[in-house]
């Protein structure tokens, strides 16, 4: 069975500083990897995903994540955060053979301070 | 497109009462997922449907929970009788037909359920 661990439950960061959110997964088969973002009182939105090819994937709002198969990690980074990045971020994994089910990590709450 | 629509947005009820949560997926999507989010357990998949058929309900907590999808544009999650430990935010998500796991799930705004 697949599982996802997000090591940090909360990450406070100052505006314009860099941030890294850690995600490690466990699976016996190949996986697809996702990062979702949840703004206050809203549903989850896809931020970016890794399916195949280049191990570095980017979002339109400056986030990037790198798939590292040997370390079974998919850490999310942004070089300079904005106040509007305050949200909860969820890493998720889907086993390719299983097809449909997403397993989510516990989430990391990012609080951007001015 | 209006996105995934859930109703009600908030529900407060008393223990023992029946609760029905509703979801309208995005038009054209053929997969629908129900999730529950709590502080203690995070996001849990309860059940999902493909083409209106329940595929995996292993996440449904117990017999008090049931879900139906009578047609492609509507699904319900029912809790009867409700208990205080059912208090959570319940999300519905839908996905378009395609390559299965590679396609994005689109989430609704959620229903915040409080059982007193």
């Amino acid at each position: 069975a697949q599982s996802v661990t997000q090591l940090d439950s909360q990450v406070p960061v100052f505006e314009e500083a860099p941030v890294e959110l850690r995600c490690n997964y466990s699976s016996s088969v190949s996986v697809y990897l996702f990062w979702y973002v949840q703004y206050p009182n809203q549903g989850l939105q896809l931020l970016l995903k890794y399916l195949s090819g280049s191990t570095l994937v980017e979002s339109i709002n400056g986030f990037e994540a790198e798939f590292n198969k040997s370390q079974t990690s998919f850490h999310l980074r942004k070089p300079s955060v904005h106040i509007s990045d305050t949200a909860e971020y969820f890493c998720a994994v889907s086993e390719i053979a299983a097809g449909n089910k997403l397993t989510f990590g516990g989430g990391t709450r990012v609080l951007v301070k001015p | 497109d209006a996105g995934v629509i859930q109703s009600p947005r908030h529900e407060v009820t008393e223990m023992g009462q029946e609760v029905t949560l509703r979801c309208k997926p995005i038009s054209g999507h053929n997969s629908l997922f129900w999730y529950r989010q709590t502080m203690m357990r995070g996001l849990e998949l309860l059940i999902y449907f493909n083409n209106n058929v329940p595929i995996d309900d292993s996440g449904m907590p117990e017999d008090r929970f049931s879900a139906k999808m009578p047609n492609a544009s509507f699904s319900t999650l029912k809790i009867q009788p409700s208990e205080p430990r059912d208090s959570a935010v319940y999300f519905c998500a839908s996905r378009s037909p395609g390559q299965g796991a590679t396609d994005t799930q689109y989430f609704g705004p959620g229903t915040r359920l409080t059982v007193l």
Side-chain angles (χ1 to χ4, degrees):
Chain A
Q2 59 201 29
S3 66
V4 180
T5 302
Q6 292 182 243
L7 295 170
D8 306 299
S9 60
Q10 291 189 66
V11 175
V13 58
F14 286 105
E15 194 173 17
E16 298 184 6
V19 70
E20 179 179 75
L21 309 183
R22 295 177 291 171
C23 172
N24 288 89
Y25 69 92
S26 173
S27 175
S28 57
V29 299
S30 297
V31 298
Y32 297 129
L33 295 155
F34 305 79
W35 276 99
Y36 279 81
V37 59
Q38 183 178 29
Y39 298 104
N41 299 313
Q42 295 186 26
L44 280 72
Q45 305 172 33
L46 181 70
L47 191 59
L48 48 76
K49 61 185 177 183
Y50 170 78
L51 306 178
S52 64
S54 172
T55 57
L56 186 66
V57 291
E58 298 177 353
S59 72
I60 59 173
N61 56 352
F63 283 92
E64 64 178 30
E66 186 160 19
F67 169 54
N68 187 317
K69 188 174 181 179
S70 62
Q71 297 186 8
T72 61
S73 67
F74 191 54
H75 301 332
L76 181 70
R77 293 184 290 267
K78 187 170 185 179
S80 176
V81 297
H82 302 288
I83 294 289
S84 59
D85 293 324
T86 294
E88 189 157 17
Y89 294 79
F90 293 90
C91 183
V93 63
S94 176
E95 291 183 339
I96 295 174
N100 296 312
K101 293 171 61 172
L102 280 176
T103 298
F104 286 89
T108 298
R109 193 175 299 275
V110 174
L111 176 59
V112 181
K113 303 177 181 180
Chain B
D1 197 321
V4 176
I5 299 173
Q6 291 187 247
S7 65
R9 292 294 309 275
H10 301 272
E11 176 80 30
V12 180
T13 190
E14 293 187 348
M15 182 174 63
Q17 296 298 305
E18 177 181 300
V19 175
T20 299
L21 311 182
R22 298 173 176 79
C23 175
K24 177 179 169 55
I26 293 172
S27 177
H29 284 192
N30 73 333
S31 295
L32 184 139
F33 305 80
W34 282 102
Y35 292 89
R36 178 172 67 176
Q37 185 179 37
T38 62
M39 290 292 291
M40 292 297 295
R41 300 175 67 90
L43 262 169
E44 305 172 277
L45 176 65
L46 300 177
I47 185 172
Y48 77 93
F49 298 82
N50 273 355
N51 297 316
N52 312 337
V53 177
I55 302 301
D56 186 344
D57 64 355
S58 60
M60 295 286 264
E62 49 198 89
D63 292 345
R64 297 185 297 107
F65 285 69
S66 62
K68 295 182 179 179
M69 192 164 186
N71 57 61
S73 59
F74 184 65
S75 177
T76 60
L77 178 68
K78 184 179 292 186
I79 308 172
Q80 180 184 17
S82 58
E83 297 182 2
R85 61 190 168 127
D86 302 329
S87 297
V89 180
Y90 291 82
F91 289 103
C92 175
S94 70
R95 187 182 64 206
S96 66
Q99 299 173 358
T102 64
D103 291 331
T104 301
Q105 291 186 23
Y106 293 85
F107 283 74
T111 295
R112 183 175 296 276
L113 173 65
T114 302
V115 183
L116 303 174

